[in-house]
């Protein structure tokens, strides 16, 4: 199975409907620089944030502004909803799953009312990052991913 993974790679999908952006276009210098991890971002068109991969929910921030899923191959994918949303202390966010649960790509993890949230923070642009990038490399990126196509493909080093 590991040999197949090395050849094929693991696909990461957008966690929300909306425009897919290059990480460099995120309006936050730390995320844009790739310091937190390689990846992409989504400018969400709606307030449902879903798992971008199948795996285990390994992080659900107390403030509900971020979550992470570890794939079966070990890639850790962080979804950080908006910029400076941690300051909202969870207000306006609803969790639909719990840390430790097995999730499938497309399962709603966190939701919020975008119209209510957007005026409270600098941006709702949502980075999607491979936080253990030393173990994985980006094999392919498709920022024009439309109709549910994968945005990133990662391979275990």
């Amino acid at each position: 199975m590991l040999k197949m993974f090395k050849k094929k790679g693991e696909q990461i999908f957008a966690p929300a409907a909306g425009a897919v952006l290059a990480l460099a276009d995120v309006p936050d210098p730390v995320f844009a620089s790739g310091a937190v991890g390689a990846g992409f971002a989504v400018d969400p068109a709606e307030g449902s944030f879903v798992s971008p991969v199948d795996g285990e929910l390994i992080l659900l921030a107390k403030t509900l502004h971020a979550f992470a899923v570890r794939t079966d191959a070990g890639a850790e994918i962080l979804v950080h909803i908006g910029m400076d949303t941690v300051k909202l202390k969870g207000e306006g966010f609803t969790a639909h799953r719990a840390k430790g649960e097995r999730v499938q790509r497309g399962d709603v993890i966190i939701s919020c009312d975008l119209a209510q949230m957007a005026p409270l923070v600098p941006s709702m642009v949502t980075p999607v990052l491979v936080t253990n990038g030393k173990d994985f490399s980006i094999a392919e990126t498709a920022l024009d991913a439309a109709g549910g196509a994968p945005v990133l493909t990662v391979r275990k080093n």
Side-chain angles (χ1 to χ4, degrees):
M1 184 166 153
L2 194 56
K3 284 183 180 174
M4 180 194 280
F5 170 72
K6 278 193 170 194
K7 283 184 194 166
K8 192 174 178 193
E10 200 157 33
Q11 297 177 326
I12 303 169
F13 294 79
V20 175
L21 309 171
L23 205 54
D25 295 332
V26 172
D28 178 283
V30 175
F31 287 116
S33 73
V36 183
F40 63 96
V42 177
D43 190 356
E46 57 167 56
S48 287
F49 295 89
V50 303
S51 180
V53 292
D54 294 348
E56 180 188 351
L57 189 59
I58 58 169
L59 169 77
L60 186 62
K62 284 182 184 175
T63 53
L64 304 180
H65 73 288
F67 65 90
V69 179
R70 182 186 302 120
T71 68
D72 291 338
E76 295 178 358
I77 313 303
L78 174 71
V79 176
H80 189 284
I81 303 166
M83 299 295 115
D84 295 342
T85 46
V86 67
K87 293 178 184 172
L88 300 175
K89 298 185 173 118
E91 200 166 315
F93 292 108
T94 303
H96 298 273
R97 302 301 291 263
K99 180 181 173 186
E101 283 187 26
R102 176 120 188 115
V103 296
Q104 299 297 309
R105 177 175 67 85
D107 288 351
V108 176
I109 308 296
I110 295 173
S111 62
C112 68
D113 181 338
L114 272 188
Q116 177 189 6
M117 305 292 277
L120 304 177
V121 294
S123 172
M124 285 304 291
V125 166
T126 299
V128 181
L129 309 164
V130 181
T131 56
N132 60 342
K134 66 184 183 314
D135 300 330
F136 290 84
S137 46
I138 307 289
E140 199 175 333
T141 306
L143 295 180
D144 58 348
V151 180
L152 279 186
T153 302
V154 296
R155 289 199 179 98
K156 195 164 179 78
N157 292 334

